[in-house]
Amino acid sequence: MVAPAALRVVRCGGSSFHGARAVFSADSKQVGPGPGPGPGYLLCASGDFVKMYSVATEETLRLMGGHADLVTGIQLNPHNHVQLYSSSLDGTIKLWDFMDGIPIKTFTVGSKLLALYALASFEDSVFVVIPKRGERATFQLVSVKLTKAAGQDLEAKELSVVLDGVDASPKSIAFGREGEYVASVKEIDLQVYFFKQKQLNRFSVSAAKTKSGNNQFTCIACHPTEDCIATGHADGKIRIWRNFYHKKEYIYSTLHWHHDTVMDLAFSVEGDSLLSGGVESVLVLWHNQSECEKDFLPRLGSPIEYISMASDGTLCCTLHTDNRITIINSNLRFARSIQGLIKSADIKTGLVVDPRTKALVLNGEPGHLQFYCLQSDQQLFSLDIVQRQYIHQAGLNQADLVKVAFSARGKWLATVEEREEVTDPELQLKLWFYDEEAQSFKLNTRINMPHEDQITDLCFRDMDELEDDSVILVTTGRDRVFKVWVIVEDTDPEAQQSVSWSCDFIGSYHNYQATNCCFSEDGSLLAVSFEETVTVWDSVTWDLKCTFCHPPGKIRNICFGRLTCSKYLIGVSDDGFLCCWNLLSCALEWSAHLNILVLQPDPLSEYIAAVSWLSKESSLFVFKPNEPRPIYIQRNLCREKIQLAAFIPRDEPETVGSEKYLWLRRSQLFFLTDTQELMTLSTKSLQERLTPASKQLAVEESLPVTPFSLLLGKHRRQQSQDDIDLGKLFVRNKCEQDSPAVKELLHTPAHVLPSASFLCPIFINSLLISKENKSAEEVADEVEMESEKPEDDSDEERDVTEMEQENTSPLELFGEMTCKLPKSQEKELRKIRKVDYSWISAF
């Protein structure tokens, strides 16, 4: 027996693309089938992974994982353009065959790696930035010799210091013409080291802050063919350095357009132009490093963090601070955009799940709602809620999206936007209807000032929505009331829509502020918290049924139990208590003293996840309300403070290896930290988690079929219906259903195949045919029947019998089991089946 895998935290997506410069693949003629002339793929560092996108379709083609911490640099192998180097904070450098997503070698350096550089002139070495031992916040650029020894896991301990006192940013170091020199900038100093001469020159700019701003260096780029260096500065200036072989006779010229920090620079492949970007969200193209000759590509959406050039010069791409990748043609025309999870300054809406797409819904661009796909790590679409122009200026009070709720099937969407003003606060409640034809939400009702003060919570009654009468929305506010909103028919003949929303009931409790609300699973009860008290209301008559309180502490969150635990109500207070009340006995069932920040019920099971923040670490507790003891506890879940969480229903139930992980079977828990890293929990090993991604670039069906694939059954034989054995067809199709192991064997080049010990278990398991669970009596009957068959029984009869056993009768699905024949009658029936009645056809 293999011990069940431990639960581990995985950065599942949403990680910033701007952790390192992106890399274009080489020309498509060099890397095989591609979307046409020019680079076919774009590779980006994203969290713990390296992602490969199609330049033509923007699809995520491959997710390469293996690092145990953030990826800090990626570089094409200059001696093999289908291979890629990646560095990570886990202290390793990995060499990948990115066309197949397979790690070829892993080099352990043993120190945190903050940047990576690979040059053609250094065949067996790469350069990395590492912390200097014994000194804090001091970094070195070192050369790492990559051994050519056999094996996949190797040690790379042979380090040579090239530059001392460098900046940790990968944008602060650049290599010059053919790797003859390396230049580094930090604060007000520029260092240039010449490898052949072993000469180091230092240059400084004025440390004084001038009227135009700060002179500090922010980024650097080297000309590909000339001895020329471009540096960006915090005051928006670009300096072009020449003749830096001489410490005193160097010269530089200045280019100035940016009004704020120059965030990155990149020369074109020929070196005749320079690209720059910054907080203005404008890409500037400087021709011949001239102040007078420049072109612009404006309105790119957010500040430009990195600029990357394709090796053939046909494309460039910009990586933005809002997690967007923009692909741009050489003529400075926008081509494509890949949008990841936008990291807002403050996630006020929480993490909400769209019932239709199972997308994660939260704040996006200012005033927008983003729908984020967890599978592709890309934004599906963005919905403009506020519908006003956002002004990027600090200190302005602008309308922002603060609350979101979906109805049970995603037919209705409720949003709340507010603008905080001391004298005249502005508040709007909007109800959106999903239009099937337009495949988008359309505004149905706008309610100005639905409450006299801020709305603290809102929720829909979670029912089937078969009729509009069953849909109810409840809002709670600081104006000390909760309001019930219902759908009414619009009697105005000139109205553009037939229904709208109106307030149906207003409730309050002892003039306390209403803070949270939620409906029970069947929609019959509504729980509303008023400061330190939880009230329960009948959702039909709106009568107050009972109240619960557990002093002291204001109620932070509440939720009802589900399924077998529907008689319980859970509450979390600010003073750290987690309380469970019994709705039948109207008494406190149990309580626990924990500093719970997040309380999240699973919509498909009885389980509830609670995340606490104790001793500067986040801990996870999973429990059922009917049991006072948690079924799972994970201490030190992560170092960051977890602020939001959401259960996402799985497409298919997950197979778990231990009972304590049953709560992960039907839904997956995602959580967002205070640093806005989106994470999840997984019991799978790294190889198992990456199996779906490793299948995404399988060779298309239209490509020629190899003889080996014919032997393994990849090819589907086209035969006439008369020659097909129904029983064999059923069994064969079940066995050969696109096995991932077979795909890996057939479509992976032999020289990069992983070890046989890795592929063999997957391949053997793919050959096994899973059968329905049968009772011991049925199995014994089948064994006895087979033992009594004559040896000349045809395969056809056995296969048809198996097919009949596999196919469940429709009556069985509704609980009506057909009567089973005794064994003696079954034997007689089998004898009758074998009698040849073909002579009857003559009559």
Side-chain angles (χ1 to χ4, degrees):
M1 293 292 291
V2 179
L7 200 63
R8 61 178 60 83
V9 177
V10 181
R11 285 183 176 88
C12 59
S15 297
S16 299
F17 290 134
H18 52 83
R21 280 193 180 97
V23 173
F24 284 97
S25 66
D27 189 271
S28 58
K29 295 179 182 177
Q30 294 175 305
V31 298
Y41 308 109
L42 181 67
L43 298 118
C44 302
S46 179
D48 301 353
F49 301 95
V50 178
K51 292 183 178 175
M52 186 164 87
Y53 297 94
S54 167
V55 172
T57 65
E58 308 167 24
E59 286 182 279
T60 305
L61 298 178
R62 190 170 304 288
L63 181 68
M64 291 177 281
H67 286 293
D69 209 331
L70 291 174
V71 176
T72 56
I74 53 173
Q75 293 278 306
L76 286 181
N77 184 352
H79 306 287
N80 188 336
H81 288 166
V82 296
Q83 293 181 355
L84 180 84
Y85 286 111
S86 65
S87 64
S88 169
L89 292 180
D90 65 4
T92 64
I93 299 171
K94 287 185 179 290
L95 177 63
W96 304 85
D97 185 313
F98 63 82
M99 292 300 294
D100 297 291
I102 297 173
I104 302 172
K105 288 183 182 295
T106 299
F107 302 94
T108 302
V109 181
S111 178
K112 285 187 177 182
L113 309 180
L114 292 100
L116 173 70
Y117 310 91
L119 282 79
S121 54
F122 296 86
E123 185 173 353
D124 58 348
S125 304
V126 295
F127 295 87
V128 294
V129 174
I130 63 172
K132 187 175 182 180
R133 290 186 179 180
E135 297 186 28
R136 192 174 183 181
T138 306
F139 305 94
Q140 297 174 314
L141 175 69
V142 299
S143 171
V144 181
K145 187 174 183 180
L146 303 180
T147 176
K148 295 184 178 180
Q152 288 187 336
D153 296 319
L154 305 170
E155 289 195 355
K157 301 296 184 182
E158 192 173 333
L159 308 181
S160 302
V161 178
V162 178
L163 283 177
D164 211 346
V166 301
D167 195 275
S169 170
K171 296 183 288 187
S172 299
I173 295 175
F175 287 81
R177 174 173 55 91
E178 297 179 356
E180 289 191 3
Y181 59 88
V182 58
S184 167
V185 292
K186 182 180 180 182
E187 297 178 352
I188 60 169
D189 295 320
L190 165 65
Q191 298 183 82
V192 183
Y193 178 76
F194 303 93
F195 288 101
K196 292 182 179 179
Q197 296 84 356
K198 296 183 179 180
Q199 177 186 349
L200 177 63
N201 290 350
R202 298 178 184 270
F203 310 94
S204 296
V205 294
S206 173
K209 291 185 178 181
T210 62
K211 293 181 180 180
S212 59
N214 193 341
N215 282 337
Q216 283 194 345
F217 290 97
T218 56
C219 55
I220 187 170
C222 293
H223 197 285
T225 58
E226 300 175 6
D227 293 331
C228 172
I229 296 174
T231 59
H233 298 261
D235 58 2
K237 292 180 181 178
I238 301 171
R239 287 182 169 86
I240 308 297
W241 301 74
R242 296 183 184 273
N243 202 31
F244 43 81
Y245 280 93
H246 306 283
K247 291 185 179 181
K248 295 183 180 180
E249 298 176 9
Y250 68 92
I251 58 173
Y252 68 81
S253 58
T254 303
L255 308 176
H256 196 187
W257 178 87
H258 298 278
H259 81 276
D260 208 327
T261 303
V262 180
M263 298 184 73
D264 201 15
L265 296 167
F267 279 98
S268 63
V269 175
E270 296 82 8
D272 56 351
S273 58
L274 175 68
L275 292 166
S276 65
V279 298
E280 304 87 358
S281 307
V282 177
L283 184 64
V284 185
L285 176 64
W286 307 85
H287 296 281
N288 301 313
Q289 296 94 52
S290 170
E291 178 82 26
C292 302
E293 301 178 43
K294 53 182 178 290
D295 291 320
F296 305 93
L297 179 60
R299 294 184 292 276
L300 292 178
S302 63
I304 296 171
E305 185 80 20
Y306 286 97
I307 304 172
S308 300
M309 292 294 303
S311 58
D312 60 358
T314 57
L315 295 173
C316 76
C317 82
T318 54
L319 274 64
H320 300 257
T321 55
D322 70 345
N323 232 7
R324 178 188 293 125
I325 302 171
T326 304
I327 301 174
I328 301 162
N329 289 323
S330 57
N331 58 0
L332 216 61
R333 294 292 180 266
F334 173 85
R336 306 219 185 293
S337 179
I338 301 170
Q339 177 66 70
L341 179 68
I342 296 177
K343 298 192 175 183
S344 301
D346 189 11
I347 307 297
K348 299 178 181 179
T349 62
L351 296 184
V352 186
V353 181
D354 178 15
R356 291 178 176 271
T357 61
K358 296 182 182 178
L360 210 56
V361 181
L362 64 161
N363 289 103
E365 298 177 41
H368 287 67
L369 197 61
Q370 63 172 322
F371 290 69
Y372 169 73
C373 178
L374 291 158
Q375 286 72 31
S376 63
D377 191 20
Q378 293 186 35
Q379 187 184 106
L380 294 179
F381 63 95
S382 179
L383 185 64
D384 188 356
I385 301 296
V386 175
Q387 299 178 343
R388 295 182 190 176
Q389 183 66 35
Y390 185 83
I391 302 173
H392 293 270
Q393 182 176 339
L396 294 180
N397 289 328
Q398 304 180 71
D400 197 10
L401 180 64
V402 294
K403 299 291 179 185
V404 170
F406 284 92
S407 59
R409 295 186 180 177
K411 184 178 178 181
W412 289 97
L413 166 67
T415 61
V416 177
E417 59 194 68
E418 67 179 32
R419 183 170 63 91
E420 296 183 15
E421 290 287 350
V422 177
T423 56
D424 186 20
E426 186 178 313
L427 196 67
Q428 279 195 352
L429 171 65
K430 292 180 180 178
L431 281 303
W432 306 75
F433 176 81
Y434 188 80
D435 189 337
E436 294 286 352
E437 293 184 2
Q439 291 290 295
S440 182
F441 285 96
K442 290 188 175 180
L443 184 61
N444 176 270
T445 304
R446 178 190 286 109
I447 303 169
N448 289 316
M449 295 305 296
H451 287 257
E452 295 179 4
D453 205 340
Q454 289 180 329
I455 291 178
T456 56
D457 200 6
L458 76 165
C459 66
F460 279 95
R461 184 162 67 176
D462 194 10
M463 297 183 71
D464 290 338
E465 306 178 39
L466 298 178
E467 298 179 0
D468 287 338
D469 295 342
S470 66
V471 183
I472 293 175
L473 176 69
V474 173
T475 58
T476 59
R478 289 185 177 176
D479 56 355
R480 306 178 187 279
V481 299
F482 73 90
K483 292 187 177 183
V484 179
W485 307 86
V486 297
I487 297 177
V488 295
E489 293 187 4
D490 202 328
T491 56
D492 186 357
E494 297 182 359
Q496 297 180 353
Q497 51 219 7
S498 58
V499 297
S500 60
W501 288 77
S502 176
C503 183
D504 183 61
F505 178 79
I506 299 176
S508 63
Y509 183 78
H510 291 291
N511 206 30
Y512 294 148
Q513 283 189 357
T515 53
N516 297 277
C517 61
C518 68
F519 278 98
S520 60
E521 186 178 16
D522 61 358
S524 62
L525 296 176
L526 169 69
V528 181
S529 62
F530 289 90
E531 297 184 10
E532 297 182 358
T533 306
V534 180
T535 60
V536 181
W537 306 73
D538 189 314
S539 66
V540 177
T541 62
W542 301 117
D543 293 333
L544 178 62
K545 290 296 184 182
C546 62
T547 61
F548 300 109
C549 61
H550 188 274
K554 185 178 178 181
I555 300 297
R556 181 182 292 170
N557 203 347
I558 54 174
C559 70
F560 280 93
R562 291 179 174 271
L563 301 176
T564 61
C565 300
S566 58
K567 65 179 181 179
Y568 297 102
L569 178 64
I570 310 298
V572 175
S573 61
D574 281 340
D575 66 336
F577 276 96
L578 174 66
C579 305
C580 177
W581 293 285
N582 191 318
L583 295 170
L584 299 181
S585 63
C586 295
L588 180 67
E589 191 81 7
W590 55 264
S591 67
H593 196 194
L594 299 167
N595 185 27
I596 301 296
L597 298 182
V598 178
L599 184 70
Q600 188 63 43
D602 180 8
L604 300 181
S605 70
E606 299 96 337
Y607 299 106
I608 297 176
V611 180
S612 70
W613 177 251
L614 295 170
S615 303
K616 295 185 178 181
E617 68 176 38
S618 294
S619 300
L620 173 67
F621 301 87
V622 181
F623 62 93
K624 287 184 179 181
N626 59 352
E627 299 175 7
R629 183 171 297 178
I631 63 166
Y632 180 78
I633 300 176
Q634 176 74 45
R635 301 283 184 184
N636 194 14
L637 186 66
C638 67
R639 298 174 185 174
E640 297 87 356
K641 193 174 185 179
I642 297 174
Q643 293 185 325
L644 301 167
F647 274 102
I648 308 294
R650 298 184 189 273
D651 295 331
E652 295 181 1
E654 185 83 2
T655 302
V656 293
S658 175
E659 289 187 5
K660 64 179 181 179
Y661 301 141
L662 284 176
W663 59 279
L664 286 170
R665 186 172 182 270
R666 301 193 65 185
S667 301
Q668 190 171 2
L669 180 63
F670 293 84
F671 52 88
L672 197 71
T673 65
D674 56 354
T675 57
Q676 297 198 20
E677 284 287 337
L678 185 62
M679 300 182 180
T680 188
L681 297 167
S682 176
T683 57
K684 291 184 175 182
S685 66
L686 184 64
Q687 293 172 345
E688 288 177 312
R689 285 192 286 109
L690 298 179
T691 298
S694 66
K695 297 187 293 181
Q696 291 177 8
L697 264 190
V699 178
E700 299 294 333
E701 296 287 339
S702 58
L703 294 181
V705 181
T706 65
F708 187 44
S709 68
L710 290 173
L711 289 174
L712 290 178
K714 184 76 173 98
H715 182 58
R716 298 179 179 178
R717 288 185 281 261
Q718 302 296 326
Q719 301 178 11
S720 63
Q721 188 66 27
D722 295 339
D723 296 334
I724 294 179
D725 182 320
L726 294 178
K728 292 179 181 177
L729 178 65
F730 178 84
V731 177
R732 184 177 66 246
N733 285 347
K734 186 171 182 180
C735 179
E736 299 169 0
Q737 192 175 10
D738 294 333
S739 166
V742 174
K743 283 186 177 181
E744 292 289 345
L745 284 173
L746 297 182
H747 305 306
T748 304
H751 67 285
V752 294
L753 272 175
S755 63
S757 61
F758 172 76
L759 286 178
C760 188
I762 304 176
F763 180 71
I764 295 300
N765 289 333
S766 70
L767 299 179
L768 300 177
I769 304 173
S770 61
K771 293 187 176 182
E772 299 292 332
N773 293 331
K774 300 180 180 181
S775 65
E777 184 181 352
E778 288 177 314
V779 174
D781 289 345
E782 288 179 8
V783 172
E784 183 177 346
M785 288 167 61
E786 289 178 3
S787 64
E788 293 175 0
K789 284 186 180 181
E791 292 183 358
D792 59 347
D793 277 0
S794 65
D795 290 338
E796 177 180 351
E797 182 180 336
R798 289 196 298 270
D799 292 333
V800 172
T801 303
E802 184 173 354
M803 181 181 70
E804 291 173 352
Q805 292 170 348
E806 294 283 350
N807 290 336
T808 307
S809 169
L811 292 177
E812 295 177 9
L813 297 176
F814 290 95
E816 299 181 17
M817 299 297 295
T818 57
C819 182
K820 183 180 177 182
L821 293 175
K823 289 189 288 184
S824 59
Q825 294 181 10
E826 183 67 32
K827 293 177 183 178
E828 292 296 328
L829 186 58
R830 286 178 52 251
K831 292 178 181 179
I832 295 173
R833 286 178 183 155
K834 290 189 288 185
V835 177
D836 185 10
Y837 294 102
S838 60
W839 56 273
I840 299 179
S841 62
F843 299 95

